[in-house]
Structures are given as structure tokens and as C-alpha cells.
Amino acid sequence: MIVVSDDLTGASLMASMCRGGRYIVYPLENVDESHLRESFISVDLGTRALEAAEVEEKLDIFERLLGDSPWTYRMDSSGRDNLTAYLRRLVKKSRIMITSTIPELGRFTLNGVSVSEDGNIDLRERVFHQACRFLRERVKIVDSRTWEDIDRISQLCRELSCIPVDPGPLISRYLGKSGTELPISADVERVCLVIGTYRPKTVKQIIALRSSISDGFLRIGGHSVKVDITFEPLERMKSKIDRDFVDRLANYDLIVISGGLTAETVLEKSGYHHILSRPADVIMTGAGTVVGGRLDGKEVILKGGMVGGEGIYVDLIMGAVCGSHAVRRLSDP
């Protein structure tokens, strides 16, 4: 099955969640018919910042490529995507089940509302506001709180031939992928963080990271990792993301990028073709190796701007250096 996301961080985390192999993350522009025959691909349609007409145009391009191949949509957990546009396409293929639960992050779905410390999102309003009758009849929002609930919903999707739509956990269980974690392909001594989101939560995460750094180094057990940070709103950063910027990134062992639009901007400027994913060490993040362009062979970790607790950047670097067994705050709210 093809899993579609509206930005690159979503596509990357979806590939990393579906364990059992190294799955490929493609931008829409690099997808061709031969890729659609692969057992699993994750596609970034790049629609997060687009107007409704532009979203429909991208969906038209995708569906022309798609043919009869099955697909589903990984929705944004913070409600920043054009969910209805995707559902209107999907619902023509089958009925849909939606939930928005991420147990490790304390997010659950109750009475059609996605509840979390970052704020509640009324899924009923998002899905059914001004929706056509056809959508109302064929889309069901299902409450859930635990992994057991998610497993139950995934089984119902199979039994009733419904398409699962959620921020990732339900789709990963529906696909039934499992396997062992793959180690990062290089020793990590130099890390660069490129962070284009500038929300209060992100600021707290950066403050926590900087408080853990001494003289430019983050010390993890017996390891000392050089950490450099580029942190400012993407609107200001965009003009600086040029060939020289990308070439500087190529000097690092690991590149951590936060924000879907930031990740798309950096990797598009690098001329990449796709990302060969690996299981991530921290929930709801994506990890993998860049293929093609000026960052070819570089390890990247991609994180949504609203993902994680205050210690998440320390955890991401710790996981890359020492493995997921060393990560201390997977469920930090």
C-alpha cells in the first residue's frame, strides 16, 4: 500500500513506523509508475502550505500516476492539513475509519475529539463541516486510547474493507509491518540541527538542548558530540538555504531537521531523489539515508515542529549515537 502525507516529516515518520524493511520516501515529483509496484512506499505530496486549488491539482497528478494502486492518507496530528480534500478522493475507493491517537504521547480520541496537552481537535468538525452527504455516510470517526484499541480498529478495517486514516499508529498496525531496528550507518560525531518552526513549544525544546550542551558539545556517556544549531522562522531562513548552506550540511554525520516545510526546502535545495528510511529511535519521528543530490548518503532525522517533549532533541541525538535503548524520554508529554 502507498501511504501519502502532506509534508516530508509526515512521509518520513510513516516509513520509519512501518518496520520490517527499509522503505522509501519519495517526493511526488520523483514518483513514477515503477515505484507503485513496490511493496510499500511513502509519498510526500507537499501540500501543507498550498491553497485548496493547488492541493486538488497535486491530488490530480498523484491519482493519474496511481491507477488502481491502493493508498491511504497519514493525516497531520495537529490539524494543519487539508484533510477533507484527501478524504474526498479516498472515499471513492472505500469506506474510511479515522482515529487520532498516539498512546506514547498521551494523545487519545474521545467522542470524536482528538485530545492532547497541545490542544484538542474536533475531528467531526474537521471532517464533516460542509462535507457532502457521500462523505458523511462513508467516513466513521472511532474513539481510541490504547494500542489495544488501535489493534482492534485495524482489525475492523480489514474485516469491513475500510481504509484507515490517522497520524500513523493505526496505519502502521493495519499494514502489519514488524522487524528489528537497523543501526545508523555511520558514527555520529558532528550533528547539525535545522529548525524552522518557531512556536513556544519549539523554543522550550531548544532551551532544553542548549542547557545540555557545554562548549558546543553534547556529552552522552563516553561520547562527545559536536552540535550546531540553525534556529529561526522558515520565512527568514529560506533565503539562506542555498547551495553553500547545503554544502555546509554535507560536513556533518547527522542532520536533524524540524518542520515539514523546512525539511522539504532543505532537501529540495540539495537535489535529493528519495530517502531510504530506517526505524526511528523516537516515536513520531522519521529517520533514514538521503539518496541523490548534494547530501547523498547523509543520515537525516526529520521531526514535525509540534512533536515531542522538551528533551526530544537530546533524545534524537542520543538514539543516533547509542541506540533506542538509551533514549530516556520516549513518552515525555
Side-chain angles (χ1 to χ4, degrees):
M1 175 177 276
I2 299 161
V3 181
V4 175
S5 300
D6 76 324
D7 72 357
L8 186 54
T9 55
S12 179
L13 79 84
M14 200 65 253
S16 289
M17 287 188 76
C18 295
R19 300 170 182 238
R22 299 202 75 177
Y23 302 114
I24 299 178
V25 182
Y26 291 103
L28 175 61
E29 293 74 15
N30 292 342
V31 176
D32 63 40
E33 292 180 1
S34 66
H35 300 143
L36 303 179
R37 294 192 291 271
E38 297 171 13
S39 61
F40 173 86
I41 64 171
S42 186
V43 179
D44 167 28
L45 255 63
T47 61
R48 173 65 59 84
L50 301 184
E51 299 295 331
E54 296 174 295
V55 174
E56 296 294 343
E57 184 178 336
K58 287 254 189 175
L59 282 164
D60 286 341
I61 295 169
F62 174 67
E63 289 197 323
R64 284 197 294 270
L65 282 169
L66 192 67
D68 295 327
S69 300
W71 67 286
T72 189
Y73 177 60
R74 181 265 169 191
M75 70 187 210
D76 178 56
S77 60
S78 299
R80 296 165 293 174
D81 56 347
N82 192 331
L83 177 61
T84 303
Y86 286 88
L87 294 181
R88 283 176 174 157
R89 304 294 180 117
L90 271 178
V91 80
K92 296 175 184 177
K93 293 181 173 291
S94 184
R95 291 174 295 174
I96 296 170
M97 280 194 190
I98 295 177
T99 198
S100 184
T101 293
I102 308 170
E104 289 89 343
L105 301 185
R107 178 182 291 276
F108 61 92
T109 309
L110 179 65
N111 297 326
V113 177
S114 180
V115 180
S116 77
E117 290 192 358
D118 293 327
N120 298 347
I121 299 171
D122 191 330
L123 298 173
R124 298 161 302 185
E125 176 70 14
R126 290 201 66 210
V127 173
F128 299 131
H129 178 62
Q130 296 181 340
C132 63
R133 180 180 175 184
F134 187 57
L135 198 62
R136 291 178 179 273
E137 291 176 348
R138 291 172 64 84
V139 176
K140 183 174 180 60
I141 300 171
V142 186
D143 290 351
S144 59
R145 186 180 290 266
T146 66
W147 276 108
E148 288 75 17
D149 295 335
I150 291 171
D151 286 336
R152 173 179 53 82
I153 297 167
S154 68
Q155 184 59 36
L156 279 173
C157 286
R158 295 187 195 95
E159 292 174 358
L160 301 176
S161 298
C162 294
I163 298 172
V165 172
D166 85 314
L170 174 61
I171 294 172
S172 68
R173 288 299 173 95
Y174 175 83
L175 294 175
K177 304 296 182 182
S178 63
T180 57
E181 294 194 4
L182 300 168
I184 199 166
S185 64
D187 293 332
V188 176
E189 296 181 355
R190 299 190 68 204
V191 177
C192 185
L193 291 88
V194 182
I195 303 165
T197 53
Y198 213 87
R199 299 168 182 264
K201 183 173 186 177
T202 313
V203 173
K204 290 179 181 179
Q205 292 172 342
I206 291 298
I207 290 171
L209 172 61
R210 285 175 171 160
S211 69
S212 300
I213 293 173
S214 176
D215 297 325
F217 287 87
L218 178 65
R219 290 173 175 82
I220 303 171
H223 300 274
S224 291
V225 182
K226 181 72 169 67
V227 179
D228 294 318
I229 303 169
T230 297
F231 175 41
E232 61 180 310
L234 179 60
E235 293 75 19
R236 293 210 306 261
M237 191 193 304
K238 264 188 174 181
S239 62
K240 303 175 186 177
I241 301 175
D242 54 15
R243 178 169 175 166
D244 289 340
F245 182 90
V246 172
D247 285 345
R248 287 195 296 273
L249 290 182
N251 294 318
Y252 292 88
D253 304 311
L254 173 66
I255 305 163
V256 179
I257 310 177
S258 181
L261 295 177
T262 308
E264 288 171 356
T265 301
V266 171
L267 290 176
E268 285 172 6
K269 182 63 68 173
S270 79
Y272 88 119
H273 187 267
H274 63 267
I275 297 172
L276 187 59
S277 73
R278 66 176 182 87
D281 299 307
V282 176
I283 187 71
M284 299 305 291
T285 63
T289 306
V290 177
V291 178
R294 306 184 72 80
L295 296 178
D296 183 63
K298 289 296 171 182
E299 296 291 339
V300 292
I301 294 174
L302 306 183
K303 181 188 89 66
M306 294 296 290
V307 169
E310 291 185 14
I312 190 167
Y313 288 116
V314 175
D315 286 348
L316 290 171
I317 298 169
M318 184 184 302
V321 172
C322 303
S324 60
H325 64 279
V327 176
R328 298 165 297 179
R329 292 179 293 272
L330 283 176
S331 58
D332 189 11

